[in-house]
Amino acid sequence: MTESNQPAPKPEEPTSVPPSAGQTDSGARVQGPSLPEPGQPDPLQGGSGQAGANHVPAGLGDVPASFSSAQPQVSAPDAGQTQLGGPGPGQQLPPSGSGQPHPLGLGATTAQFGAEQPAGPPSGPFAGPQGPPTGQYYLPPGFQPPPAAPRSKGRGKVVAGVAALVLIVGGLSGGLGGYLGYTFANDSSSVSSLDSPRPASQASNAPAGSVEDVANKLLPSVVQIQVTTRSGAGEGSGFIISGNGQIVTNNHVIEGAAAGGDIKVVFHDGKTATAKILGRDPSSDIAVIQADGVSNLPVVQLGNSGDMKTGQAVVAIGSPFELSGTVTSGIVSSVNRPVSAGGDRNSQATVLNAIQTDAAINPGNSGGPLVNMQGQVVGINSAIYSPSQGQGQAGSVGIGFAIPMDQARRTIDEIVKSGKPKQTVLGVKVESTEQGAKISEITGGGAAEKAGLKAGDVITKFGDRRIDESDTLVAAVRSKAPGDKVTITLSDNRTVEATLDGVEVG
């Protein structure tokens, strides 16, 4: 390295730039020092790539605006020396006019900034016997490029003509593209669902155990029952248990016709038939009617209600508010729920051991089936709870009750065979106490007297079932069949065994 004998004259510095040789320039339009005399070191300032003087035009070596931030400040190691990002610090530029190439030629492009130049023969207006050094190059402030070589007039005309042609072609392309885009947009907006072809009809492939599958199985076997009496008319539901027209329903649906009235059955396919009462049991709210002049009817499959568990899915089918063939679904909310059949809450004679469900059950659903997801009838929809106290008809609030099929099946079979069902009895009258069901009266010769029970005894268990009130005991007795034996536990921890009786009803 060499040092100049005399330091270069210090240029007049702007107030926004610190007076320090070798500081980077932010690219602002600040007049830089003139080129040094031959033989003198060049106190160059690095810049952002923009021209450092007001009268120096931006050339091909301009850096985009994104490079306009100030370069990091690098202090010069020696006076009169400058770092240009070349092979090493303190590289001395060749003197101007020495015949060696200037490292800052105008031929540098944006892609060349910040990258080493490939080795090869020099080129450009400042080309000399040596190629430009590698590193990051910037035009020094105040640098004046040589005048460009004059171009031929013919070449200028050709270039102008080509430019004009490019503009014309570009305009035509733009116009055509806009037209096509507008046309496509209008065509797209005119697409209509009505123009789409109608999809092919699909056969029902309901998954086994789905509500749809259960409905497909049961709907043809569920009927609407219409009853007309002298005092008015009513309607309910029922389900077919034999191909010759035997139909199960609730007693409270048809009891108006028992004293004289007409019963009409409306089948799923819309056909109708008259019907008569085969038998009925008011205490269990079960009845069987016979449709006239029918045969080969589809019948239901009866299930086992003893297998029902709380939370199990169920489906209710019937004719709520005269809407025949209505299907609703839900779950078993509870089992062994004591409920007065037919809505008669004042008589223990109609208390039954019901299945509670949240499947929607409304007036008109009475007598229709409650079905498990295998399509088997597990209950007969009989009652609903409604908080309404007005004169209007009650509706579902998600609390419905069905007669368990295990209890109903025995009664139905007795009606079909003899027309005279039997009610299971213990032979006592009971009332509720804090401990359970207190016996207030014993029927002479009945099951309770034979078992050694007396008035005043308090029953706390009936078999394995806890007895907390009188209705619970009645429901528990009704869930059994005549002749069944059961162990009864009393409040004093005594136990007795009783054989239940049966009494004809109807």
Side-chain angles (χ1 to χ4, degrees), residues 285-494:
D285 197 25
I286 295 173
V288 180
I289 61 176
Q290 173 71 60
D292 299 326
V294 295
S295 62
N296 300 320
L297 297 178
V299 301
V300 300
Q301 180 182 2
L302 301 180
N304 184 359
S305 61
D307 294 338
M308 302 301 292
K309 300 292 188 296
T310 301
Q312 185 173 341
V314 288
V315 173
I317 305 176
S319 304
F321 299 106
E322 301 183 13
L323 301 173
S324 62
T326 296
V327 177
T328 58
S329 63
I331 62 169
V332 173
S333 302
S334 182
V335 295
N336 299 324
R337 183 74 76 186
V339 175
S340 296
D344 186 0
R345 300 181 180 180
N346 298 320
S347 173
Q348 287 183 337
T350 60
V351 173
L352 56 90
N353 196 48
I355 299 171
Q356 181 182 332
T357 179
D358 69 348
I361 297 175
N362 288 285
N365 272 114
S366 292
L370 185 69
V371 188
N372 63 20
M373 303 314 290
Q374 286 74 47
Q376 303 165 341
V377 179
V378 295
I380 305 171
N381 300 320
S382 178
I384 62 173
Y385 169 78
S386 178
S388 175
Q389 300 297 325
Q391 298 299 319
Q393 210 168 18
S396 173
V397 292
I399 303 177
F401 304 98
I403 305 168
M405 183 49 60
D406 290 354
Q407 178 180 335
R409 186 167 188 160
R410 177 182 57 81
T411 302
I412 294 168
D413 186 59
E414 290 174 348
I415 291 174
V416 170
K417 290 179 177 178
S418 65
K420 293 189 179 293
K422 288 183 178 181
Q423 183 186 83
T424 306
V425 295
L426 178 61
V428 295
K429 288 185 179 180
V430 291
E431 58 187 29
S432 297
T433 66
E434 292 182 357
Q435 293 176 300
K438 180 180 179 181
I439 299 175
S440 59
E441 185 178 334
I442 295 284
T443 302
E449 186 180 54
K450 292 177 181 178
L453 294 174
K454 299 178 181 179
D457 288 339
V458 177
I459 300 174
T460 58
K461 279 184 87 172
F462 185 85
D464 293 332
R465 184 169 176 177
R466 185 176 69 88
I467 304 301
D468 57 354
E469 62 175 1
S470 59
D471 280 358
T472 305
L473 178 61
V474 174
V477 172
R478 296 276 170 81
S479 67
K480 302 293 183 176
D484 286 350
K485 293 183 179 182
V486 62
T487 299
I488 298 174
T489 304
L490 303 178
S491 59
D492 58 4
N493 294 325
R494 287 187 299 123

Side-chain angles (χ1 to χ4, degrees), residues 65-333:
S66 62
F67 292 100
S68 61
S69 61
Q71 299 296 320
Q73 296 183 0
V74 181
S75 58
D78 296 297
Q81 297 177 352
T82 187
Q83 293 183 345
L84 297 175
Q91 180 184 5
Q92 184 170 351
L93 294 177
S96 177
S98 63
Q100 297 184 16
H102 197 286
L104 302 175
L106 288 176
T109 61
T110 302
Q112 292 170 311
F113 282 96
E116 294 185 359
Q117 300 298 323
S123 60
F126 296 102
Q130 299 178 1
T134 60
Q136 194 169 10
Y137 303 147
Y138 299 94
L139 292 176
F143 176 73
Q144 296 290 341
R151 298 179 179 177
S152 62
K153 296 181 179 180
R155 178 178 175 85
K157 292 181 179 180
V158 172
V159 173
V162 171
L165 179 60
V166 170
L167 290 175
I168 293 174
V169 172
L172 291 175
S173 299
L176 179 60
Y179 172 75
L180 292 176
Y182 174 78
T183 303
F184 177 75
N186 284 342
D187 290 344
S188 299
S189 63
S190 65
V191 174
S192 172
S193 298
L194 298 176
D195 297 331
S196 302
R198 185 191 299 262
S201 298
Q202 297 181 356
S204 176
N205 294 316
S210 65
V211 174
E212 181 183 357
D213 180 51
V214 172
N216 290 338
K217 291 178 181 178
L218 268 295
L219 277 172
S221 303
V222 179
V223 302
Q224 182 184 33
I225 299 175
Q226 299 174 353
V227 178
T228 304
T229 65
R230 295 178 181 177
S231 59
E235 58 92 28
S237 303
F239 54 91
I240 304 169
I241 61 170
S242 72
N244 64 354
Q246 292 177 351
I247 299 169
V248 174
T249 187
N250 282 145
N251 174 71
H252 73 265
V253 171
I254 53 83
E255 67 180 345
D262 297 326
I263 302 174
K264 184 172 75 171
V265 176
V266 181
F267 296 96
H268 183 63
D269 59 4
K271 295 180 180 179
T272 63
T274 58
K276 61 178 180 290
I277 299 174
L278 282 182
R280 63 192 186 97
D281 179 9
S283 63
S284 62
D285 197 25
I286 295 173
V288 180
I289 61 176
Q290 173 71 60
D292 299 326
V294 295
S295 62
N296 300 320
L297 297 178
V299 301
V300 300
Q301 180 182 2
L302 301 180
N304 184 359
S305 61
D307 294 338
M308 302 301 292
K309 300 292 188 296
T310 301
Q312 185 173 341
V314 288
V315 173
I317 305 176
S319 304
F321 299 106
E322 301 183 13
L323 301 173
S324 62
T326 296
V327 177
T328 58
S329 63
I331 62 169
V332 173
S333 302

Side-chain angles (χ1 to χ4, degrees), residues 35-63:
L35 291 175
E37 295 295 329
Q40 297 293 330
D42 186 3
L44 291 178
Q45 295 175 329
S48 67
Q50 297 180 359
N54 290 331
H55 303 291
V56 179
L60 294 176
D62 285 353
V63 178

